[in-house]
Structures are given as structure tokens and as C-alpha cells.
């Protein structure tokens, strides 16, 4: 699909030239796969590059160079992508793949390989091997997750979410779909996600099945904040991820028993827990068991960032996809209007100090572009110049890769060099590239944005 909104009206030639220059500078600094593995470090000396992960390693940089090659086919960026493949293969000989997930495991490696394969005309033997391993492990994962969910009356985010769970795995299978085996596992993953929309009983309260108990939250900080567990509805780790996946499946012609009902259930649930500030509706990403069962939504002054991972942009994109899937014009219109509200809030309220995709400016920018692709008549394009200039202004030639993630610490913010796609320059450059692309992209499907 070619771009349906002419953003060149808003992104002028000078801005386009600046974007291209920055993208090429980043590409040059990421070229050497062995150097980038050494360079990214925190002040304490710990590395920020984890070679076999999609989020922070070679799969993410391979996706970047593959996309560069698609947009600039005469510049031989595919050769650079291949060099990163060789580095990935070398690391895979020494580092076992620990899980099937998209962002830290097997699926992420398959995702990068598929994009670089030019529709399976390259790396086909390696890709077939990866997918064989994936198919062997999916049903085991689903069976174990189902058993744990039924036994403990609690999900874990890593069972179903985009980052570590079945939503990310399913999105890869849908993108790379080539045979009945893919379809069968897409259906089985969907059936598991649909089950999570069934109500369960916890402490005599009826709550949705994606509830995560305190012991399954996975961090001491979250356990203190949610002593009775919570319901997560962010795009990265919550139910917005499955909502997006089930909706994309339907939009691509895959219909499963209970799918439409599950989409509508999640949509209605999200409507029931939205909050309001002076500007309009917002979603904060999590709700405690106590808040939900007592129907007492706390009004938070410092709600979640306007980011991909939590908060309005990611959730609204999932809801917009659901509106399109169910032909619900009211939801489509509402999500566009609520997305407009993001830009009406003062920048200081966005919480987007960092330039990255996960919880930074690139995430908001990329989601805005994807909203525009599906809703070309909306007015979101008018906000692109300011946000783009904000992102460009953070470019720093003196830093190792050109951009740095900004991490909060107990004392002050720390500026950290990262090469990867989730929190690093590969993701920032891909987003900038989306502003000047001449061919449609599919890399953002890894973030469940399309």
C-alpha cells in the first residue's frame, strides 16, 4: 500500500533533506556490526547491546539496513545487512535462544530474516530452520500457558503480550504467512487470546481473564504498587496488544469463532476505564484490582507517557484498528479525536524526553504516521512538522550513534548510547525513514501498529 496521505505538504524539502542526512549518518555509524556491540555502554560499564535480541541486537539493525535497501536499492545496504547477519550467526553459535518471543527470542530472529529474505528468495534455509523450531515450540508454549492460567487464575504478561508473548509471535506468522501450518498456529494463538477475554473470579469478584496476580507481575516495584495484582492495558505488555492482533487478523481476512466478540469486549472494557483531564480522555496503562472492583478510578496527575508502550498513542492505535475491523465508525471517529487531544496537551505533559520508539518521540511519531495511513482524511498530519523538528533537534553528532536514550536514575537522567530498534538509534532512524519513504513498510508490524 502506498502512502494515502501526502505528508510532503507538511514535511517540506528542507526537512526531508535533514531527515535523509541524519538517517545516512546513523547508517554509517551502525555499519560495523562488531564495533556497535562494543560501543553501547552505561556509566557503570554494562553493555546496552544484546546481540541475538530483536529489541537490542542484530535482528533490529538487520531490519534497519533491510529497510534502507528497500528505499535506496542502488546503495548496497543489503550487503551491510548481510554483514550483520554473519555477526548474528556467530553469536548464535555461542548463545542459545532462550524463548520464542518477538523481542528477545526466536520470533525476532525470524522476523529480521524474513524481511531481509526478499520474500524467501534469500536466507531461505536459515529461515525454514527458524520456523521449524518455532512451530515445534508454539503448541508447547500455549499448553503450558493455558495450564498455568487455569490453575492460578492469573495470566502473566509474557504469556500473551507483544514483547514476550503470543501476540508478537502471532504477528510474525501473520506477516510471513505461507502455508497451512502458519494459519493453524495463527488460529491457535488467537483462540488462546480470545480465552483471556472470558471472565474469571478472583476474591469473589468477576474480572477479565487477562488479570495478572501480584506474584506474576515479575518485579518488586510492581508488586509493591499492586499488592493484589492489576489489569494491564498498554500496547507493549497489556491487552491492547491482543486487541491489535485480533483486529489485524480480521482486517486480513482471518475470522475465528469468538474473535469479533473478543474485540468488542476489549473495546467496551477500555471505554469503561478511560479517564479524563482538562483536555479530554486518556488511558494510564494499568488499573489495580482494587480500583477495578471498587469502580474507583484514580485521577493521576502524572499519567503514563504519550508513548508506544503505555498510555494513549499505543492504546488508541489498537482501538482504531479494532474500529476498522468491526466497521465501528463511532470508535474510529473517537480514536482519531482522542489522538488529536494528545497534541493539545502541553509538551511537558507528554513525558517524552527520550527520542526512542518504546517510550519516546519516535513512538508517537510512528503511530501518528500509521494512524494517517488508515485514516487519510484526519488532520493529524498538521502535527508532523513540530514533532519531527523536535526529534531532529535531539540529534547530536558528538554522540556515538547520533542519538541517546534518556534514562531516569535516582540522582539524575543518564544519556545512554544504544544501537537497537526498541530503545536505540535503529528504531529512531526507521521512524525518520518512514517520513520520506517511497515504498510501503512492514517493519512497524513488529510493534503491532499495522
Amino acid at each position: 500500500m502506498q502512502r494515502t496521505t501526502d505528508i510532503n505538504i507538511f514535511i517540506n524539502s528542507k526537512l526531508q533533506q535533514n531527515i535523509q542526512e541524519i538517517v545516512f549518518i546513523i547508517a554509517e555509524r551502525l555499519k560495523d556490526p562488531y564495533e556497535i556491540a562494543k560501543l553501547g555502554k552505561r556509566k557503570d560499564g554494562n553493555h546496552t547491546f544484546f546481540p541475538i535480541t530483536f529489541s537490542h541486537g542484530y535482528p533490529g539493525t538487520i531490519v534497519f539496513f533491510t529497510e534502507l535497501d528497500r528505499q535506496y536499492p542502488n546503495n548496497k545496504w543489503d550487503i551491510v545487512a548481510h554483514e550483520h547477519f554473519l555477526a548474528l550467526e556467530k553469536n548464535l553459535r555461542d548463545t542459545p535462544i532462550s524463548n520464542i518471543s518477538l523481542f528477545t527470542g526466536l520470533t525476532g530472529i525470524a522476523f529480521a530474516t524474513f524481511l531481509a529474505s526478499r520474500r524467501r528468495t534469500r536466507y531461505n534455509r536459515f529461515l525454514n530452520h527458524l520456523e521449524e523450531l518455532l512451530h515445534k515450540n508454539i503448541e508447547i508454549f500455549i499448553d503450558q500457558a493455558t495450564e498455568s492460567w487455569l490453575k492460578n487464575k492469573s495470566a502473566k504478561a509474557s504469556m500473551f503480550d507483544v514483547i514476550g508473548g503470543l501476540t508478537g509471535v502471532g504477528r510474525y506468522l501473520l506477516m510471513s504467512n505461507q502455508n497451512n501450518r502458519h494459519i493453524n498456529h495463527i488460529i491457535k494463538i488467537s483462540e488462546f487470546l480470545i480465552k483471556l477475554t472470558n471472565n474469571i473470579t478472583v476474591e469473589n469478584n468477576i474480572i477479565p481473564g487477562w488479570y495478572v496476580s501480584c506474584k506474576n507481575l515479575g518485579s518488586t516495584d510492581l508488586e509493591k504498587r499492586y499488592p493484589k495484582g492489576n489489569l494491564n492495558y498498554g500496547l507493549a505488555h497489556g491487552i491492547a496488544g491482543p486487541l491489535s492482533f485480533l483486529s489485524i487478523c480480521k482486517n486480513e481476512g482471518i475470522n475465528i469463532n469468538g474473535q469479533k466478540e473478543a474485540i468488542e469486549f476489549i473495546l467496551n472494557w477500555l471505554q469503561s476505564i478511560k479517564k479524563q483531564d482538562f483536555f479530554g480522555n486518556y488511558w494510564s496503562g494499568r488499573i489495580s484490582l482494587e480500583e477495578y472492583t471498587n469502580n474507583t478510578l484514580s485521577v493521576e496527575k502524572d499519567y503514563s507517557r504519550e508513548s508506544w508502550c503505555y498510555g494513549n498513542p499505543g492504546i488508541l492505535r489498537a482501538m482504531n484498528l479494532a474500529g476498522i475491523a468491526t466497521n465501528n465508525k463511532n470508535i474510529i471517529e473517537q480514536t482519531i479525536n482522542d489522538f488529536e487531544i494528545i497534541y493539545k496537551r502541553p509538551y511537558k505533559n507528554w513525558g517524552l524526553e527520550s527520542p526512542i520508539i518504546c517510550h519516546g518521540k519516535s513512538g508517537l511519531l510512528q503511530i501518528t504516521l500509521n494512524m494517517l495511513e488508515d485514516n487519510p482524511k484526519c488532520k493529524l498530519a498538521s502535527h508532523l512538522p513540530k514533532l519531527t523538528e523536535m526529534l531532529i533537534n535531539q540529534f547530536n553528532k558528538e554522540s556515538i550513534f547520533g542519538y541517546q536514550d534518556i534514562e531516569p536514575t535516582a540522582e539524575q537522567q543518564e544519556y545512554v548510547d544504544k544501537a537497537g530498534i526498541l530503545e536505540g538509534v535503529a528504531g529512531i532512524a526507521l521512524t525518520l525513514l518512514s517520513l520520506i519513504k517511497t515504498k510501503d513498510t512492514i517493519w512497524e508490524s513488529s510493534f503491532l501498529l499495522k
Side-chain angles (χ1 to χ4, degrees):
M1 181 181 71
Q2 293 297 314
R3 193 191 301 282
T4 52
T5 301
D6 185 9
I7 67 169
N8 290 337
I9 298 170
F10 301 94
I11 306 298
N12 61 43
S13 59
K14 183 179 180 181
L15 207 50
Q16 290 181 44
Q17 185 178 351
N18 287 344
I19 290 167
Q20 183 172 281
E21 287 175 0
I22 289 172
V23 169
F24 284 157
I25 290 171
I26 291 171
E28 288 296 327
R29 295 187 182 188
L30 291 180
K31 240 181 178 180
D32 188 325
Y34 299 102
E35 278 300 303
I36 63 173
K38 299 174 187 175
L39 291 174
K41 289 182 181 180
R42 290 186 171 83
K43 288 180 180 178
D44 59 10
N46 287 328
H47 285 273
T48 61
F49 194 80
F50 303 97
I52 69 170
T53 67
F54 184 82
S55 59
H56 293 78
Y58 292 121
T61 57
I62 289 167
V63 168
F64 168 54
F65 285 112
T66 297
E67 191 55 51
L68 262 184
D69 179 57
R70 289 184 70 250
Q71 303 298 333
Y72 301 95
N74 298 322
N75 292 17
K76 299 182 179 180
W77 292 113
D78 59 328
I79 295 174
V80 182
H82 182 67
E83 292 297 319
H84 283 242
F85 252 112
L86 296 178
L88 172 62
E89 287 181 336
K90 182 177 179 181
N91 277 272
L92 285 171
R93 287 194 288 269
D94 301 323
T95 308
I97 302 171
S98 61
N99 60 71
I100 66 169
S101 77
L102 175 54
F103 277 78
T104 63
L106 181 61
T107 300
I109 299 168
F111 188 102
T113 306
F114 176 78
L115 258 61
S117 74
R118 296 187 177 180
R119 294 287 170 182
R120 300 181 185 273
T121 61
R122 298 177 172 185
Y123 307 112
N124 208 30
R125 183 181 297 178
F126 183 53
L127 183 57
N128 287 338
H129 172 66
L130 292 172
E131 291 187 340
E132 183 63 29
L133 287 173
L134 188 58
H135 285 303
K136 282 182 179 179
N137 283 281
I138 286 173
E139 290 190 42
I140 296 170
F141 186 98
I142 292 173
D143 289 344
Q144 290 176 344
T146 303
E147 182 182 355
S148 174
W149 177 64
L150 292 172
K151 179 181 177 182
N152 298 308
K153 289 189 176 181
S154 166
K156 291 181 180 178
S158 59
M159 291 178 182
F160 66 86
D161 72 6
V162 174
I163 298 290
L166 287 168
T167 294
V169 177
R171 187 63 188 95
Y172 167 71
L173 294 175
L174 187 61
M175 179 191 73
S176 63
N177 181 21
Q178 66 158 350
N179 56 41
N180 288 335
R181 205 173 183 190
H182 276 58
I183 290 290
N184 289 337
H185 279 141
I186 290 167
I187 291 171
K188 287 185 178 182
I189 287 170
S190 298
E191 288 172 344
F192 176 80
L193 298 177
I194 290 167
K195 282 180 186 176
L196 293 182
T197 64
N198 294 332
N199 286 324
I200 59 174
T201 303
V202 175
E203 295 185 0
N204 296 318
N205 294 297
I206 297 173
I207 57 174
W210 66 85
Y211 160 77
V212 178
S213 66
C214 180
K215 70 176 183 178
N216 281 352
L217 288 173
S219 86
T220 304
D221 177 59
L222 288 176
E223 288 169 6
K224 288 179 181 178
R225 289 169 60 190
Y226 302 101
K228 292 191 175 183
N230 69 29
L231 290 144
N232 190 318
Y233 49 96
L235 185 53
H237 295 295
I239 200 61
L243 175 64
S244 181
F245 174 68
L246 292 172
S247 301
I248 294 168
C249 283
K250 191 164 182 61
N251 288 332
E252 296 197 9
I254 295 179
N255 295 291
I256 302 156
N257 287 337
Q259 176 186 12
K260 185 173 184 288
E261 292 79 6
I263 291 170
E264 290 174 341
F265 178 86
I266 299 169
L267 273 175
N268 291 332
W269 188 85
L270 286 169
Q271 293 282 55
S272 74
I273 52 89
K274 67 188 175 189
K275 302 176 183 182
Q276 287 193 325
D277 63 7
F278 174 80
F279 300 94
N281 296 329
Y282 72 92
W283 287 262
S284 54
R286 298 185 185 97
I287 182 171
S288 69
L289 179 65
E290 301 94 313
E291 278 184 280
Y292 183 69
T293 55
N294 295 330
N295 195 27
T296 54
L297 298 180
S298 64
V299 179
E300 304 167 17
K301 290 182 179 179
D302 298 316
Y303 50 86
S304 294
R305 299 177 173 109
E306 300 287 9
S307 62
W308 169 77
C309 54
Y310 284 98
N312 302 305
I315 294 166
L316 286 169
R317 178 55 180 159
M319 292 176 70
N320 184 257
L321 287 166
I324 294 168
T326 57
N327 195 29
N328 188 326
K329 293 180 181 178
N330 289 333
I331 287 292
I332 294 171
E333 184 178 353
Q334 181 202 319
T335 53
I336 293 169
N337 291 338
D338 285 343
F339 211 95
E340 271 290 341
I341 289 169
I342 293 171
Y343 288 99
K344 291 179 181 178
R345 292 189 176 98
Y347 167 69
K348 65 180 182 180
N349 291 0
W350 288 6
L352 299 182
E353 291 83 5
S354 185
I356 64 172
I357 287 183
C358 184
H359 45 267
K361 296 179 186 69
S362 291
L364 176 57
L365 180 54
Q366 185 60 53
I367 298 171
T368 304
L369 290 170
N370 289 121
M371 289 286 286
L372 279 164
E373 282 189 351
D374 286 336
N375 308 279
K377 293 182 180 179
C378 75
K379 299 178 181 179
L380 292 172
S382 64
H383 302 294
L384 292 175
K386 182 178 179 181
L387 182 55
T388 302
E389 286 173 0
M390 290 168 69
L391 186 57
I392 286 174
N393 288 339
Q394 277 191 272
F395 180 72
N396 177 11
K397 278 189 177 181
E398 303 306 313
S399 65
I400 291 172
F401 301 126
Y403 282 100
Q404 294 174 300
D405 184 17
I406 302 173
E407 295 183 349
T409 64
E411 298 175 358
Q412 59 185 3
Q413 294 175 327
E414 181 177 350
Y415 289 74
V416 185
D417 299 298
K418 298 180 182 180
I421 194 170
L422 182 64
E423 298 179 339
V425 292
I428 298 167
L430 280 165
T431 301
L432 289 171
L433 200 55
S434 293
L435 288 163
I436 56 173
K437 68 183 181 182
T438 57
K439 299 174 184 175
D440 189 36
T441 56
I442 56 172
W443 67 266
E444 63 268 44
S445 63
S446 62
F447 290 83
L448 270 290
L449 298 177
K450 64 189 297 184

